């Protein structure tokens, strides 16, 4: 009977976020006639696409017991570098995007290398790189927006494949890839093992340093891809493009049940976290809720989610 009760608790925790999402949808549908408008729902889908893409990288980082605060600045830097290459260096858009993604992946790899080899806390390393990358973006563009891209480039952020926006398709592909890595590859098993107990993972033969480098390189890659989508959607390289985006990602991932202490979490639940942030942001805008009130609500959400995770972990340790 005890096993049955434990199983019910696990199932309840698994679907709790989907229930919260449903409650939010019902609430905003009842309070705003515009919420269920197909055009608004498509707008929500487009808005969360960049968040969903970047959140996969944050999920991997949290699974290791780390964090990646450089995601927002990585998005900004890719935004500016890709725009600069296309407009000022006259580089082909495809090549400009590939070079920008290579840069973000290399910078993410560097974060992982510093964390694993010098043993500086991920919080400090990524906070430092967040500041450096933001400064580099300003230096490149001098604080001035960059625009004037080839028309074909807008397809990435503004195009459709049938009735579905291209950014949403990219998000679905990246989320599916993230789920595949975690569920069907030995790398995914290693992420959980390192996050659960890095020392035990090392003793069992796992290259822990390599896993850190891989995870942060992937986080850089996904942040870069989110930056490309954002650039194409706004059609302008902005020095503040990714400002605060790391907080949005962290909130979505923690809301999705990924443990802030590492070793626990699934992409399927992160999807719920991303949708909650998207629906909540859109709904509050429709209801004319102040931006500052929105900040308070989102801040409380992450505090509650982390607090719930800590309480659950303490209960597990007590048993």
């Amino acid at each position: 009977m005890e096993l049955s009760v434990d199983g019910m608790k696990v199932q309840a925790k698994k679907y709790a976020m989907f229930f919260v999402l449903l409650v939010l949808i019902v609430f905003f549908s009842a309070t705003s006639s515009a919420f269920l408008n197909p055009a608004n729902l498509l707008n929500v889908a487009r808005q969360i696409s960049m968040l969903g893409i970047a959140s996969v990288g944050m999920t991997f980082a949290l699974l290791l017991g780390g964090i990646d605060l450089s995601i927002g600045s990585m998005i900004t830097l890719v935004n500016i570098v890709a725009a600069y290459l296309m407009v000022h260096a006259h580089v082909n858009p495809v090549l400009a995007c590939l070079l920008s993604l290579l840069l973000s992946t290399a910078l993410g790899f560097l974060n992982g290398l510093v964390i694993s080899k010098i043993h500086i806390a991920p919080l400090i390393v990524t906070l430092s790189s967040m500041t450096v990358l933001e400064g580099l973006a300003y230096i490149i563009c001098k604080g001035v927006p960059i625009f004037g891209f080839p028309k074909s480039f807008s397809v990435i952020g503004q195009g459709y494949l049938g009735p579905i926006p291209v950014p949403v398709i990219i998000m679905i592909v990246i989320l599916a890839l993230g789920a595949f890595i975690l569920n069907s590859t030995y790398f995914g098993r290693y992420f959980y093992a390192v996050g659960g107990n890095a020392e035990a993972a090392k003793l069992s033969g796992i290259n822990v340093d390599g896993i850190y480098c891989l995870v942060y390189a992937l986080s850089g890659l996904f942040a870069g891809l989110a930056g490309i989508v954002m650039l194409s959607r706004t059609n302008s390289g902005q020095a503040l493009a990714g400002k605060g985006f790391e907080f949005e990602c962290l909130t979505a991932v923690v809301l999705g049940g990924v443990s802030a202490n590492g070793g626990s979490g699934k992409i399927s639940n992160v999807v719920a976290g991303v949708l909650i942030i998207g629906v909540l942001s859109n709904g509050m805008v429709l209801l004319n809720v102040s931006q500052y009130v929105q900040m308070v609500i989102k801040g409380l959400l992450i505090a509650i989610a982390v607090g719930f995770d800590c309480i659950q972990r303490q209960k597990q340790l007590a048993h």
Side-chain angles (χ1 to χ4, degrees):
M1 186 67 180
E2 187 179 346
L3 288 174
S4 177
V5 171
D6 287 343
M8 289 173 65
K9 286 181 179 178
V10 170
Q11 290 298 315
K13 184 179 177 182
K14 181 179 178 182
Y15 295 110
M17 287 302 102
F18 290 97
F19 176 73
V20 172
L21 176 61
L22 181 62
V23 169
L24 285 175
I25 291 171
V26 170
F27 173 76
F28 288 125
S29 300
T31 52
S32 172
S33 58
F35 181 76
L36 287 180
N37 186 295
N40 183 60
L41 294 178
L42 275 178
N43 185 45
V44 172
R46 275 193 296 265
Q47 285 176 340
I48 67 169
S49 59
M50 294 157 288
L51 178 61
I53 293 166
S55 290
V56 176
M58 182 68 85
T59 299
F60 290 172
L62 257 66
L63 284 176
L64 291 190
I67 194 170
D68 191 354
L69 294 179
S70 68
I71 283 176
S73 295
M74 198 82 76
I75 288 172
T76 297
L77 184 63
V78 166
N79 212 270
I80 294 299
V81 168
Y84 185 91
L85 288 174
M86 283 187 283
V87 176
H88 297 301
H90 307 292
V91 175
N92 178 277
V94 174
L95 181 58
C97 291
L98 290 176
L99 289 173
S100 302
L101 291 176
L102 183 62
L103 174 65
S104 67
T105 304
L107 291 170
F109 179 85
L110 185 59
N111 278 342
L113 195 64
V114 172
I115 291 166
S116 61
K117 296 298 184 183
I118 307 180
H119 304 292
I120 304 176
L123 176 69
I124 304 301
V125 172
T126 57
L127 181 62
S128 173
S129 61
M130 176 182 77
T131 309
V132 170
L133 299 182
E134 190 173 331
L136 284 174
Y138 269 100
I139 290 169
I140 294 169
C141 72
K142 299 179 176 61
V144 179
I146 303 174
F147 51 89
F149 314 124
K151 192 173 181 181
S152 58
F153 179 67
S154 65
V155 173
I156 299 172
Q158 302 174 32
Y160 286 82
L161 190 61
I164 307 173
V166 171
V168 176
I169 294 171
I170 296 173
M171 176 186 68
I172 292 170
V173 169
I174 296 302
L175 287 168
L177 177 61
F180 175 78
I181 290 172
L182 290 183
N183 300 329
S184 305
T185 69
Y186 63 87
F187 286 120
R189 292 193 289 273
Y190 290 172
F191 295 172
Y192 287 111
V194 172
N197 190 322
E199 196 58 40
K202 186 178 289 186
L203 292 173
S204 67
I206 296 174
N207 182 356
V208 174
D209 290 352
I211 292 299
Y212 271 98
C213 290
L214 174 62
V215 161
Y216 282 91
L218 287 172
S219 184
L221 173 62
F222 296 142
L225 187 55
I228 295 293
V229 172
M230 184 181 292
L231 178 63
S232 175
R233 184 165 182 259
T234 59
N235 224 18
S236 174
Q238 302 279 348
L240 294 175
K243 189 75 173 177
F245 212 83
E246 62 284 338
F247 178 74
E248 294 278 329
C249 285
L250 183 60
T251 306
V253 171
V254 174
L255 273 177
V258 178
S259 174
N261 296 302
S264 174
K266 290 184 176 181
I267 293 291
S268 57
N269 280 13
V270 171
V271 172
V274 169
L275 288 170
I276 286 172
I277 294 298
V279 168
L280 188 63
S281 298
N282 180 262
M284 288 191 293
V285 168
L286 291 176
L287 295 179
N288 294 317
V289 176
S290 162
Q291 180 183 354
Y292 305 109
V293 174
Q294 292 183 41
M295 290 169 66
V296 171
I297 291 172
K298 289 178 181 178
L300 288 173
L301 274 177
I302 193 169
I304 292 168
V306 172
F308 179 76
D309 175 56
C310 290
I311 291 169
Q312 291 297 313
R313 187 168 284 264
Q314 287 170 6
K315 285 182 178 179
Q316 289 173 1
L317 291 173
H319 285 87

